[in-house]
């Protein structure tokens, strides 16, 4: 009973029109990587290299979402969600990454959009969630300018096919991961370890964002355009100058680099100076920053954890280290990540709900003109089926605490317009394969069978209560 009262009280704290959803991405859920003319992506190649994925798995089947539109939409509906964020597989639509379109690939997304709309579920499309067509990587990948231009073209193709029904567009998801895990530490596809090239990759990902955002807005001024960035509160391990400087650097690369480029049209000067140690920035052309500074209607905030940082890299503690610690921070290899003693999820990521409020209020203070949406938030914990049920109190507590943190931000005046749980269902967790479960819905990876977890039921209950409150007003 107490819990029901608490849930009702939490639901009442969200404003009218708030978007409630869950998120996935193409390579993590679709499977059918060889079906209907889809071309290969960098992830198809990467997973086949020995040692890249901890359990040696791949996304060939994933959770079979390509063949499960009715089931997936029914699951979203059963949870009571009003929105579904999914990504388009670029090589499914443009198998060679150029302007030749694979109509069968487009048809899959068109059918998914129709099925969602028929159930009153609003689609939020992400254009790039890391599955670059392999042909574009063969031509140089994101360190090369032409990839950004191709991406702008892809955005126009996707929007021309789906823009009559889809209003919400997120251009690029987590360019930090795509650039620095993909091209600096090599922990993600394409697995390159070229720190200088990773900075060019980061620039071209943002240029791609700008080109895509402008193409969509030109086609539909009413479209709601966004870019998806991953944020972490950064704390210095001590107040020594070396640790404080490490915190400034990590905060700059993680929280300010992409945000300021998109929203202010300039990279933070202090980080430009740091990066000059390894890059001459010759890839930045006149006019690029204006393109990158395209209108953003909603900033998509992905939030999982916080970092405590030291300038003495040797002190890195494995449990506190983000994926890619050290080598994923080009020009900052001396930096380490230490535990602050907070409890951690199955990823080893510290749980810091107050850090979400801190992130949202800081973003609002720095960029008051833009609305915010939490487009990913969630936790991995090992799950066990017991009598056909999944009791996952830790995931439920994580969700409850982070939603309360969102409500605190709303109370503080942050224009927060939505929340998307990561993820709708357990799926392929990149270099962790199928060993980490983030879903509101449990997936039996052998049979594909779905079972709603306790956390999914709780989230659905919260959403229904929030909606009922507003309808009663
Ligand atoms: O699964 C990923 C997702 O693809 C991007 N953001 C973080 C999630 C959890 O690691």
């Amino acid at each position: 009973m107490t819990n029901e009262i608490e849930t009702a009280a939490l639901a009442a704290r969200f404003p009218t029109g708030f978007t409630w959803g869950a998120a996935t991405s193409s390579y993590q859920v679709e499977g059918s990587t060889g079906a209907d003319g889809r071309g290969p992506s960098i992830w198809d190649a990467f997973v086949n290299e020995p040692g890249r994925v901890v359990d040696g798995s791949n996304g060939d089947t994933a959770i079979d979402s390509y063949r499960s539109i009715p089931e997936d939409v029914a699951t979203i509906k059963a949870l009571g969600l009003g929105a579904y964020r999914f990504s388009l597989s670029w090589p499914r639509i443009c198998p060679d990454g150029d302007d030749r379109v694979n109509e069968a690939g487009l048809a899959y997304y068109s059918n998914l959009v129709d099925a969602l709309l028929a159930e009153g579920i609003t689609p939020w499309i992400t254009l790039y969630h890391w599955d670059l067509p392999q042909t574009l990587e063969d031509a140089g990948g994101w360190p090369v300018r032409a990839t950004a231009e191709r991406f702008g073209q892809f955005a126009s193709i996707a929007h021309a096919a789906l823009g009559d029904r889809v209003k919400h567009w997120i251009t690029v998801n987590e360019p930090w991961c795509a650039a620095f895990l993909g091209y600096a530490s090599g922990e993600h596809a394409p697995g390159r370890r070229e720190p200088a090239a990773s900075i060019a990759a980061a620039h071209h990902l943002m240029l791609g964002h700008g080109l895509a955002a402008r193409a969509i807005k030109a086609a539909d001024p009413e479209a709601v355009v966004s870019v998806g960035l991953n944020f972490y509160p950064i704390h210095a391990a001590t107040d020594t100058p070396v640790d404080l400087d490490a915190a400034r650097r990590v905060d700059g690369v993680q929280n300010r680099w992409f945000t300021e480029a998109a929203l202010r049209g300039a990279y933070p000067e202090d980080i430009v100076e740091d990066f000059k140690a390894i890059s001459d920035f010759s890839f930045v052309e006149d006019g690029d920053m204006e393109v990158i500074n395209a209108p953003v209607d909603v900033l998509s905030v992905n939030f999982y954890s916080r970092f405590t940082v030291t300038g003495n890299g040797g002190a890195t503690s494995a449990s506190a280290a983000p994926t890619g610690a050290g080598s994923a921070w080009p020009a900052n290899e001396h930096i380490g990540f230490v535990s602050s003693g907070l409890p951690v999820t199955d990823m080893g990521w510290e749980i810091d709900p107050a850090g979400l409020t801190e992130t949202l209020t800081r973003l609002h203070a720095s960029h008051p003109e833009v609305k915010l949406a939490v487009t990913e938030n969630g936790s991995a914990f090992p799950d066990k089926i017991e009598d056909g049920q999944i009791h996952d109190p830790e995931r439920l507590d994580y969700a409850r605490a982070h939603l309360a943190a969102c409500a605190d931000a709303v109370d503080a005046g942050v224009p927060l317009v939505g929340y998307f749980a990561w993820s709708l269902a357990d799926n392929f967790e990149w270099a962790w394969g199928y060993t980490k479960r983030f879903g509101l819905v449990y997936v039996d990876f052998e049979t594909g069978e779905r079972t709603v977890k306790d956390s999914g039921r709780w989230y659905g209950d919260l959403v229904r209560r929030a909606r009922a409150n507003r309808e009663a007003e």
Side-chain angles (χ1 to χ4, degrees):
M1 189 49 128
T2 318
N3 281 347
E4 282 185 26
I5 293 170
E6 274 175 19
T7 306
L10 179 55
R13 299 180 65 195
F14 288 90
T16 307
F18 194 80
T19 295
W20 297 98
T24 61
S25 86
S26 46
Y27 190 75
Q28 293 181 274
V29 300
E30 286 178 5
S32 296
T33 48
D36 300 335
R38 176 189 179 278
S41 80
I42 53 174
W43 274 92
D44 299 293
F46 184 75
V47 295
N48 284 322
E49 294 172 24
R52 293 300 202 180
V53 178
V54 291
D55 58 358
S57 65
N58 58 51
D60 287 359
T61 305
I63 62 165
D64 204 19
S65 288
Y66 187 70
R67 298 189 306 164
S68 313
I69 290 179
E71 293 82 351
D72 284 352
V73 174
T75 303
I76 300 164
K77 176 83 180 163
L79 288 172
L81 307 186
Y84 179 46
R85 174 183 171 224
F86 59 94
S87 77
L88 306 183
S89 160
W90 187 353
R92 203 181 277 296
I93 295 176
C94 302
D96 292 309
D98 57 20
D99 55 1
R100 284 171 295 175
V101 173
N102 174 33
E103 292 299 336
L106 262 183
Y108 163 65
Y109 296 109
S110 184
N111 292 339
L112 175 57
V113 164
D114 286 344
L116 290 167
L117 292 174
E119 294 296 352
I121 300 161
T122 304
W124 283 47
I125 284 183
T126 306
L127 284 164
Y128 186 71
H129 200 125
W130 309 349
D131 41 1
L132 182 71
Q134 182 61 40
T135 44
L136 294 183
E137 178 55 33
D138 294 342
W142 283 111
V144 165
R145 186 176 192 84
T147 303
E149 289 159 359
R150 286 296 187 198
F151 183 65
Q153 230 170 32
F154 168 60
S156 294
I157 291 168
H159 187 270
L162 305 169
D164 56 334
R165 288 155 289 158
V166 177
K167 292 291 157 205
H168 293 85
W169 296 86
I170 299 171
T171 55
V172 174
N173 186 65
E174 298 181 0
W176 182 87
C177 297
F180 300 132
L181 300 181
Y183 292 91
S185 73
E187 286 158 278
H188 279 189
R192 286 165 58 179
R193 297 200 175 99
E194 301 167 38
S198 76
I199 298 173
H203 179 68
H204 294 135
L205 280 151
M206 291 313 287
L207 186 62
H209 151 72
L211 292 168
R214 287 178 187 282
I216 290 170
K217 277 290 194 190
D220 178 6
E222 302 298 311
V224 180
V225 170
S226 184
V227 58
L229 305 179
N230 48 332
F231 294 97
Y232 298 79
I234 310 296
H235 301 263
T238 68
D239 58 6
T240 57
V242 72
D243 287 353
L244 290 170
D245 189 58
R248 173 194 65 74
R249 286 165 171 265
V250 172
D251 178 59
V253 177
Q254 188 76 57
N255 296 324
R256 293 185 280 121
W257 187 256
F258 300 98
T259 316
E260 295 198 6
L263 301 181
R264 294 213 167 112
Y267 291 122
E269 269 308 316
D270 60 323
I271 305 302
V272 172
E273 286 308 310
D274 294 344
F275 278 166
K276 275 187 186 161
I278 59 166
S279 173
D280 61 6
F281 284 89
S282 54
F283 47 81
V284 180
E285 294 188 3
D286 284 352
D288 281 5
M289 298 314 293
E290 286 72 32
V291 173
I292 292 173
N293 188 207
V296 166
D297 301 295
V298 173
L299 179 65
S300 290
V301 176
N302 295 356
F303 183 90
Y304 291 90
S305 187
R306 60 178 250 149
F307 297 151
T308 306
V309 182
T310 168
N312 305 309
T316 296
S317 125
S319 71
T323 314
S327 57
W329 301 86
N332 289 300
E333 286 77 5
H334 60 292
I335 281 169
F337 297 82
V338 296
S339 167
S340 68
L342 287 169
V344 297
T345 68
D346 195 28
M347 299 295 285
W349 296 347
E350 293 185 345
I351 302 173
D352 180 23
L356 176 53
T357 314
E358 179 188 329
T359 296
L360 294 170
T361 49
R362 178 188 182 195
L363 282 169
H364 179 52
S366 309
H367 307 283
E369 70 290 353
V370 70
K371 293 181 184 141
L372 306 178
V374 173
T375 42
E376 283 186 29
N377 175 239
S379 55
F381 287 104
D383 296 312
K384 251 201 347 250
I385 287 228
E386 288 168 54
D387 300 329
Q389 303 206 39
I390 312 289
H391 303 302
D392 58 341
E394 293 165 305
R395 190 178 290 101
L396 196 156
D397 283 348
Y398 180 103
R400 186 175 17 220
H402 284 78
L403 278 154
C406 288
D408 290 345
V410 171
D411 289 347
V414 173
L416 186 69
V417 299
Y419 176 92
F420 290 76
W422 184 271
S423 175
L424 174 66
D426 297 336
N427 57 48
F428 178 77
E429 178 54 24
W430 307 113
W432 294 97
Y434 296 99
T435 65
K436 306 290 178 193
R437 294 179 176 273
F438 276 90
L440 297 173
V441 174
Y442 179 88
V443 179
D444 179 324
F445 293 128
E446 294 299 315
T447 64
E449 192 182 343
R450 275 82 157 139
T451 307
V452 178
K453 301 178 191 177
D454 285 357
S455 59
R457 267 186 240 294
W458 174 83
Y459 183 52
D461 181 42
L462 177 83
V463 172
R464 272 183 278 267
R465 286 172 191 270
R467 193 170 300 129
N469 286 340
R470 297 309 166 212
E471 279 163 10
E473 278 175 2

